[in-house]
Amino acid sequence: MPAYNEQDCIEKVVYNWTSFLKTKFPNDNTTLIVINDGSKDNTKVLLDELDKKIDNLTVVHQKNGGHGNAVVNGYRKALELDSQYVFQTDSDDQFVSEDFDKLWDKRSQSQFILGYRQVRHDAGVRLFITKFLRGTISAVYGTFIMDSNIPFRLIKGTFLKKLMDQLPNPEPFAPNIFLAVMAKKSGQELFDIPITHKDRETGTVSIVKWNLWKVCIRSFKELLRFRLELNGKVKAIRA
C-alpha cells in the first residue's frame, strides 16, 4: 500500500485492512506493508504511531519517488518476506476490503488477478489517461485489459518474482501496467473483476500536478519501447 499525504484517512485505512487480514487469515502470518512515499503532511508520524500498536503492520519510509516507485518497493518488500501471495491496494480509502474475496476466490485459476473499476469515481483527467492507456495497450500489444493500472490486484508470490525480474530498467512511470501486460501475454487470465470504487473524500490526487499530455506521451513512449523487449521477457517468465 503506497501512501502520500494521506493524513486524513491513513489511520482508518490501515486499521480497516489490518483488521480484515486478521479476520480473513486468523491462522496465517499476514502483514500490511505501507510505503510512505515522502509525505509532506503528518502521514509519517501517524504511520509510526500505528506501527507501534499494530502487530501485522510494516511501515517503510522513502524519499518521494512517485506512486509507481512506491508500488515497486512495496512489491520488493513483500518478496523479501517470501510472501505466498501479494495483494496491492491504495491508501486513499476508495476501495473496500470486502471485495478482496472476489479476487481471492479465483487464485486457483490464475497467478495474476485484476479488479476493474466498473463505476470509477475519479477526476476527468484520470479517466482520460485510463482510456488512453487502454487504447494504447490494445494498439501496441494487441491485447485488451480493462483497467491495467488498477491498484487492486492479487499476484502469486513466485509469479511476481518472475515479473519483477523482467520489469524494464529504468523503472517506468506506471509499473503496474507493465506487470499486467507481461502477465496477460504470458498466458494468465486476469479476469477484470468488477469492484467497488468510492469517491475520494480526503487528500489530493497527485497526478493532476503533472501535465496531462506529458504523462500520456511518456507512457506511450515507454509502452512502445517495451514492445521490442516483450517477447523475450515473456519467454523468461514462462520458463
Side-chain angles (χ1 to χ4, degrees), residues 1-5 10 33-52 57-65 69-70 73-74 77:
M1 178 183 290
Y4 180 73
N5 290 352
I10 193 65
I33 302 168
V34 180
I35 308 294
N36 172 37
D37 187 37
S39 295
K40 298 178 180 178
D41 62 1
N42 209 36
T43 298
K44 179 181 184 300
V45 173
L46 293 173
L47 284 173
D48 284 341
E49 292 176 355
L50 291 169
D51 199 19
K52 298 173 184 176
L57 173 65
T58 298
V59 175
V60 178
H61 299 295
Q62 67 173 38
K63 293 181 179 179
N64 181 252
N69 177 255
N73 287 335
K77 183 64 177 179

Side-chain angles (χ1 to χ4, degrees), residues 26-189:
N27 300 315
D28 294 316
N29 182 22
T30 62
T31 186
L32 171 66
I33 302 168
V34 180
I35 308 294
N36 172 37
D37 187 37
S39 295
K40 298 178 180 178
D41 62 1
N42 209 36
T43 298
K44 179 181 184 300
V45 173
L46 293 173
L47 284 173
D48 284 341
E49 292 176 355
L50 291 169
D51 199 19
K52 298 173 184 176
K53 303 174 184 177
I54 304 175
D55 56 8
N56 62 334
L57 173 65
T58 298
V59 175
V60 178
H61 299 295
Q62 67 173 38
K63 293 181 179 179
N64 181 252
H67 182 275
N69 177 255
V71 169
V72 166
N73 287 335
Y75 288 147
R76 288 173 178 156
K77 183 64 177 179
L79 292 175
E80 284 179 18
L81 298 176
D82 198 27
S83 302
Q84 185 178 1
Y85 285 95
V86 179
F87 175 75
Q88 191 255 316
T89 190
D90 269 355
S91 57
D92 54 15
D93 197 29
Q94 288 189 270
F95 297 100
V96 297
S97 55
E98 291 80 4
D99 280 341
F100 172 86
D101 283 343
K102 296 178 182 179
L103 279 63
W104 184 248
D105 290 344
K106 298 285 188 181
R107 69 189 184 282
S108 64
Q109 301 175 51
S110 178
Q111 300 182 82
F112 192 103
I113 304 165
L114 292 182
Y116 159 55
R117 291 165 283 198
Q118 190 171 24
V119 178
R120 185 170 178 180
H121 296 277
D122 269 332
V125 61
R126 284 201 163 201
L127 299 178
F128 177 86
I129 291 175
T130 296
K131 290 181 180 179
F132 173 84
L133 292 173
R134 187 184 301 158
T136 298
I137 291 169
S138 180
V140 174
Y141 297 108
T143 192
F144 186 80
I145 304 174
M146 285 298 299
D147 202 349
S148 61
N149 199 34
I150 187 171
F152 204 90
R153 54 185 60 207
L154 178 69
I155 314 170
K156 191 171 183 179
T158 52
F159 188 67
L160 177 60
K161 174 65 167 62
K162 291 183 177 181
L163 292 174
M164 293 295 291
D165 286 344
Q166 301 305 319
L167 195 64
N169 187 21
E171 195 176 280
F173 174 75
N176 264 344
I177 295 174
F178 291 80
L179 298 181
V181 169
M182 288 190 289
K184 182 74 176 287
K185 283 294 188 177
S186 67
Q188 298 300 312
E189 174 60 62

